[in-house]
Structures are given as structure tokens and as C-alpha cells.
Amino acid sequence: MAMRESDNDGPFMALRQQSDDRWRDAVTAAQILAIAGPAIGGLWLTARACGIRDHFLNYLWSITPGIPVTRLPPGATATSLCGHLDIGRSTAAGRIHWDHGILAATDGGFLVVPMAERLDSGAAAMITEAMDSGTCPSLRPVAATPAQPSHFAVIALDEAAEPEEKLPTCLADRLGLHVSLDGVLLHTIMPPVPASGAALLPDNAWRRVRLDDHLLEQVCAITTATGHGSLRILHHLTKVIRLHAFIHGREAADENDALAALRLCLGVHLTQSQPRTEEQEQAQAAPSPPTPPPSEPETGGDGNEDGVPPSFDNLTELLAAVEMGHVEGLTLNVGNRAARQGNRSGKGGANARNARRGRPYGSSNSPPFPDARPDLVETLRAAAPWQRLRTQLLQGQTGERAGHLLVRKEDFRYRRLRHQQPSTAIFVVDASGSTALERLGETKGAIEQLLASCYVRRDEVSLIAFRGKAAEILMQPTRSLVAAKRKLSALPGGGPTPLASGLERGLEMALAARRRGSTPVVVVMTDGSGNIALDGTADRALAGRQTETIARLYRVHGLKSICIDIARRPRDSVTSLARLLGADLHLLRQANAAHMSEIVRASMHGGPPS
């Protein structure tokens, strides 16, 4: 019993406090969304599919009764979002009937996007266009058709199953609230359901809340320090500050509202490591005076609800902490919210269009491959507007009345599919010289880190080491982490530098990977120029010419490559090699497997390293 009590006073109480703080913020965000609705854009909910997320959504529906909720179906296309020809009604009535689509039907309600981290960029663009304009984008080829109103708030359910699966940037930029339920304990929120029976109706009275210019300047400074470059975020912050003050019955916003807005919009929290260290130093310097401990400067909870103000008088300490890096945040950069690049949607490699498998992205009147089958629904939609004219034409030519649909060859439509090709990271490592062991050690760590996250995307990693008189393929492209560890356990090192042979082997492997349908990324790690020719002779001039010739072939074939200078001081020879390869040049003066793997992973997924 004594041990249980000590546990409750220690880590368990800290976890419970964190859970209570995050749940309180989640409840506040739900209340703000219920009042503001489309004015705040929507809510980005980061949580796995579990009872805690269902509990939060049930609470949101309970305080917004009567507001329709539309769930976006998986694989929604442009026609399903913006409207399409209703084949059944058009055929029965003998004239065109148009279905206005999901976005028009969501007017005045919530659009729930499940698995938003896998949302197609085209669908995200149409949703954001409707959010900006307030009208549904129309695909109907009639210019006089009135635009359908489409005012809604988006609830993006981000399960964050894989770090590389990202919310599209265009959608994340327009969602003013971000709630993370990670760390929320179910038994801490089950007994009391806050305001479960109260309904919050949309109200524009929050716009009359006053916002001081000095407070706004501080909020803007903190936002800029966290790396946000979008004006939409500042606009969302000002709205959330006013909404938070309105919920708590204040006519003028204060620092409590600003701190809550920074948590709800940016997820900015002060870490506890720095303040605790200062408290320990103060306690060691003056142990005798029994001064009461200062309040914890954690901004995870809402100090105004408990009647306790935050530990700092203004936002200056938070700004200083942000600049020093003593913060933890969910979305510290809107362009890279939670490392979420819109172009890095969790898939490696390039898009393979007109493929036999994958997700649909459109249709055309020509087959994407020889034995492609027509898309029946799209074909009927293309033929439906011409039925009356074709029936009259057939009756005038033959005197017979058609009792069936008249479909011609030009009506055939074919569904086009695309999928993301896997990537193959080919490490071409300079294993010569006295520092070979250090370089091979960090390369081994980088390969193991990449393989740990490559299985879902079917990415592969291989290793070519060059030393002595020629290059050697130490590991063929593989996705097996166990096999890689076994093959990387003992790597040779030392000797001269056959750089031309290493580049030649890397080129051959990259072209072979491309023929298999993969997207190769060649990572060249070296600290100088080669001195061994392809025939194994020690001829520096011939080796230099051969290296230049092979390096130019990388650019001719359009291969993506990375050149990492691992010398302690940058060398011009490595810079010239990167220019010939057309590669991205990175400096790595110290052994750092994590940094190297991040560089390669970012290049494989089409975005800058975080």
C-alpha cells in the first residue's frame, strides 16, 4: 500500500495531470469550434482510432445538436465532391439531372475527413477552395449554372500511424485548431463529461471582444519565432483569443486567452526540464529559507478556469523559451506542421501514372494500356446527355424507336490509376583512408534507421563500398532489417580510393532499380577525389577523367543523387563532384547516423530535411 501511494504521488500523478490538461484543452477547442464553426476553418484532431477519440467526438456532437455531419468516403473523387451527372434520374426523365456533390450537401455542417493524413492532394485542393470561396467548385459544363453555397467546418482525423504520412499543407494551413489526444488517459475523462448536456450555438458576439495591440504584438513575435510564415495562422490566433475570452465571459482578452490560443493553434508548451533545473539550483544555493515553491510554468492547462494565473506575468518568458528552444510543440511550423509536408504524403518514389493498380485520379476517352476495360459509370455519364438527340436521329433514319441506351465508341471512358513507386537508397561509401571505420559505422546506423521505417512503403536500401582497387557490393537492395544487420556486422576499410569504380557500380544498380519500377536515390559519401582508375592502376589523372565521365551520366539519366562531404573540412573536389552529378551537397563533419538517415529519408520522399 505504501508503494502504491508513493507511485501515485510520483509518475502516475504527473501522467494524470498531463492527461487532465490535454483533455481540458480538447474540450475548450470543441467549444470554440461549436461557436465559430466555419469562421475558424476547422479542427485537426491527432489521435488513433480509439475510445478516447470517440469520446471527444461524441462530446462535440452533443454540444452541436442539429448541425449536420458528413463523413467523407474513402477515395472521394472530383465528381463525388463537386457534383456529377445523375445517370438514373437522367435516364428515367429523359433530360439531364445533376447531383451537386458532397461539398454542396455539407453546407452549414461539419465535414469529417477520416484518415486525413492519406487524403489525396487533388481532393484536398477542392475542399480548401470551397472553404475559401464559400461555394462548391462546379464541374458542370454550363456557364450559367448558379454556384452552390458550401459553408462548412472541417474535422480532419489524423491517426498519425506513420511519421511519413502527412496532412496536405493546403488543408492544414486552413484549420485553426489542433488537438492531440496522445497521453490522455481514458479513466481520467470517463467519470465527468464536461457540459455534456449543454448546446453551444454559433454566435458572432465573440467578434466584439477587444484585443490589446501590445498583446497582439507579443503573440505575433512568438508566432514568428516558432517559424510560422502564414498569415492565416495569425488570423486564426486572433480569432481563438477572442473566442476563448468570450467563452469565459471577458469583454477584453488577456494573457490567459493568448496562452490558450498558442496551445490550441500551435501546440506551444514550455518544457519542464529548464524550470526544474533552476528550482533545484535555487534550492541548493539557499536550502534554509522555507520559501514556497513557485508554480509550474507549464502551459498545458487552462489557468483561468481554475482561477490560478500562469506563472509568468506576460508572454516574454514564453518568447524567450521559444527562441532558446525550451518548448515542445505539436505544430511549430505551419509549412512543416508536425513535420508534415504536403508533398511528402507518406509515400516514397515518384508517381506511376496510367498504371494497372493504384488509386483513381481521373478518366479519359483513350485506354491507358492496351487491354484496359472501360469504366461503366463514366461511360454512361458521357452518353446520357446525347440520348434524346441520338434517339431522334435513329428514328429519322430508320423509323424505329430505340428501346435501350445508345452508346457509341466516343462515349467510352477509362479510369486512370496511379500509385507511388517504391524507392531504393543506394549508399556509395568511400571506405578508404584512416577514418573509414567511423564513416562505415555511421553509414551502418543510417541504413538500419532507414530500414526500420521502409517496410510499409516497400522501400529498399543497398550498400556499395569502394576501397583498394575496385568497388564492392556489400548489400544488394533489401527491405530485411535482420539480413542487413547480419551483412553489415563486419565491414572492411582502408586503402586507396577507386571513386570511379564506386560511381560505376552505383550507376549500374540505380538503372537496374529503375527498370524494376523503383525510384533510385544514390547517396555518395566521400571526402576527396579518386586516385585509382577503373582498370585498377594508380593513375590519378585518368581516374579523374573517368570519374567526370561517369558522374555526367547520372545527370544524363536523370538520377536523383545526394553527395555528402564527410571530411572534417569541406573540400572543393567534393563540391565539383556534386556539381557534375547534379546532386544535393551536404556537409557531415562529424559521425551522425540520425542526421544522415534524415537527409536520405527527406530526399526519398520529395521534401527538405527537417
Side-chain angles (χ1 to χ4, degrees):
M1 180 64 68
M3 183 176 295
R4 290 182 179 179
E5 292 179 355
S6 62
D7 292 340
N8 291 339
D9 294 337
F12 179 77
M13 290 303 297
L15 291 176
R16 185 183 182 90
Q17 181 63 33
Q18 180 186 13
S19 174
D20 293 341
D21 293 341
R22 291 205 171 186
W23 177 250
R24 191 182 300 114
D25 283 342
V27 169
T28 304
Q31 295 173 355
I32 290 176
L33 181 62
I35 296 176
I40 201 63
L43 172 69
W44 179 1
L45 181 60
T46 303
R48 295 294 182 95
C50 59
I52 298 177
R53 191 181 76 174
D54 296 339
H55 194 69
F56 173 80
L57 292 177
N58 291 335
Y59 169 74
L60 179 59
W61 308 147
S62 67
I63 62 177
T64 55
I67 298 181
V69 178
T70 303
R71 193 176 183 89
L72 187 69
T77 60
T79 54
S80 61
L81 287 172
C82 303
H84 55 83
L85 185 67
D86 193 330
I87 299 175
R89 295 173 60 190
S90 300
T91 304
R95 58 187 181 89
I96 294 178
H97 282 272
W98 195 265
D99 182 8
H100 296 296
I102 297 175
L103 297 181
T106 317
D107 182 37
F110 292 122
L111 177 63
V112 179
V113 183
M115 301 184 70
E117 72 278 5
R118 299 184 181 180
L119 181 64
D120 183 73
S121 58
M126 292 183 180
I127 293 174
T128 55
E129 181 182 353
M131 295 173 65
D132 293 341
S133 62
T135 57
C136 177
S138 178
L139 302 179
R140 190 171 183 178
V142 180
T145 303
Q148 296 293 323
S150 182
H151 298 275
F152 56 87
V154 176
I155 301 177
L157 304 181
D158 182 6
E159 296 186 6
E162 296 294 335
E164 293 81 12
E165 293 178 341
K166 323 297 179 185
L167 210 66
T169 306
C170 61
L171 180 61
D173 191 25
R174 288 165 173 81
L175 302 182
L177 297 169
H178 186 188
V179 171
S180 175
L181 299 180
D182 294 339
V184 177
L185 306 178
L186 184 61
H187 69 275
T188 63
I189 63 174
M190 284 300 292
V193 180
S196 59
L200 297 178
L201 300 178
D203 191 354
N204 289 326
W206 59 269
R207 298 182 182 273
R208 295 192 293 268
V209 176
R210 297 189 302 274
L211 182 59
D212 184 69
D213 292 341
H214 179 65
L215 184 64
L216 181 59
E217 290 178 0
Q218 290 181 310
V219 172
C220 292
I222 295 175
T223 307
T224 305
T226 55
H228 290 80
S230 174
L231 293 178
R232 289 192 183 95
I233 293 300
L234 291 175
H235 198 197
H236 292 156
L237 275 171
T238 56
K239 289 181 178 179
V240 174
I241 291 174
R242 288 188 168 95
L243 284 162
H244 191 271
F246 174 76
I247 289 176
H248 295 90
R250 289 188 287 271
E251 297 181 356
D254 57 15
E255 293 172 355
N256 297 304
D257 305 317
L259 293 173
L262 289 171
R263 293 195 310 272
L264 298 176
C265 295
L266 309 183
V268 175
H269 297 259
L270 281 176
T271 58
Q272 299 186 7
S273 59
Q274 182 72 11
R276 286 181 177 178
T277 303
E278 294 177 356
E279 292 174 8
Q280 293 175 359
E281 292 178 356
Q282 293 176 1
Q284 293 177 0
S288 55
T291 56
S295 58
E296 190 70 29
E298 168 68 38
T299 64
D302 188 16
N304 185 68
E305 292 182 358
D306 299 333
V308 180
S311 60
F312 40 83
D313 298 329
N314 49 45
L315 300 172
T316 306
E317 291 188 17
L318 182 58
L319 175 59
V322 170
E323 294 175 348
M324 295 175 62
H326 299 311
V327 294
E328 58 178 1
L330 302 173
T331 54
L332 289 182
N333 194 320
V334 66
N336 190 21
R337 279 188 160 191
R340 280 158 163 72
Q341 291 284 351
N343 194 27
R344 297 163 57 186
S345 54
K347 312 176 189 72
N351 278 323
R353 295 176 178 267
N354 300 331
R356 295 177 179 268
R357 61 183 178 86
R359 296 184 178 182
Y361 72 95
S363 61
S364 65
N365 54 3
S366 60
F369 43 87
D371 55 345
R373 294 183 178 181
D375 186 351
L376 179 60
V377 176
E378 293 297 332
T379 300
L380 294 178
R381 285 175 180 165
W386 304 96
Q387 294 306 304
R388 177 178 295 182
L389 180 61
R390 292 175 182 175
T391 302
Q392 295 176 358
L393 182 62
L394 179 63
Q395 188 174 4
Q397 292 177 349
T398 63
E400 299 178 358
R401 184 175 180 85
H404 54 79
L405 291 176
L406 300 177
V407 181
R408 298 182 179 179
K409 182 178 180 181
E410 58 267 21
D411 297 330
F412 287 172
R413 295 294 183 268
Y414 300 88
R415 177 176 296 181
R416 296 190 176 273
L417 306 177
R418 66 181 178 188
H419 70 94
Q420 297 286 337
Q421 296 178 344
S423 295
T424 301
I426 303 172
F427 286 85
V428 181
V429 184
D430 184 355
S432 62
S434 59
T435 58
L437 294 178
E438 179 184 2
R439 292 194 295 267
L440 290 176
E442 69 188 30
T443 306
K444 173 184 175 182
I447 291 175
E448 291 182 358
Q449 291 186 19
L450 285 173
L451 285 174
S453 60
C454 282
Y455 181 77
V456 176
R457 298 182 308 273
R458 295 295 189 264
D459 292 342
E460 297 179 333
V461 178
S462 63
L463 175 62
I464 299 175
F466 57 92
R467 70 182 187 96
K469 294 185 178 181
E472 180 183 1
I473 299 178
L474 299 180
M475 187 175 64
Q476 293 287 348
T478 180
R479 295 192 299 266
S480 174
L481 182 59
V482 177
K485 288 183 177 180
R486 184 173 60 251
K487 294 180 180 181
L488 295 175
S489 58
L491 296 179
T497 309
L499 179 58
S501 178
L503 293 178
E504 185 181 37
R505 289 294 184 93
L507 177 63
E508 294 173 355
M509 185 175 291
L511 295 179
R514 176 181 288 179
R515 288 192 294 269
R516 295 195 308 268
S518 180
T519 302
V521 178
V522 182
V523 184
V524 181
M525 299 176 55
T526 183
D527 61 352
S529 58
N531 51 18
I532 301 297
L534 292 176
D535 56 0
T537 60
D539 189 341
R540 185 179 295 272
L542 178 60
R545 292 193 297 270
Q546 293 174 347
T547 299
E548 292 180 2
T549 302
I550 298 174
R552 288 191 176 95
L553 291 177
Y554 279 76
R555 180 175 289 182
V556 170
H557 290 283
L559 295 175
K560 191 171 186 178
S561 57
I562 305 170
C563 192
I564 300 179
D565 188 351
I566 54 178
R568 302 189 186 279
R569 294 183 179 180
R571 297 185 179 181
D572 296 337
S573 58
V574 183
T575 305
S576 301
L577 178 62
R579 188 181 303 110
L580 293 172
L581 292 170
D584 299 332
L585 178 62
H586 299 275
L587 303 179
L588 194 66
R589 303 179 184 179
Q590 297 180 354
N592 192 335
H595 183 53
M596 184 191 302
S597 63
E598 184 64 26
I599 291 174
V600 178
R601 185 183 295 112
S603 298
M604 293 172 68
H605 303 150
S610 58

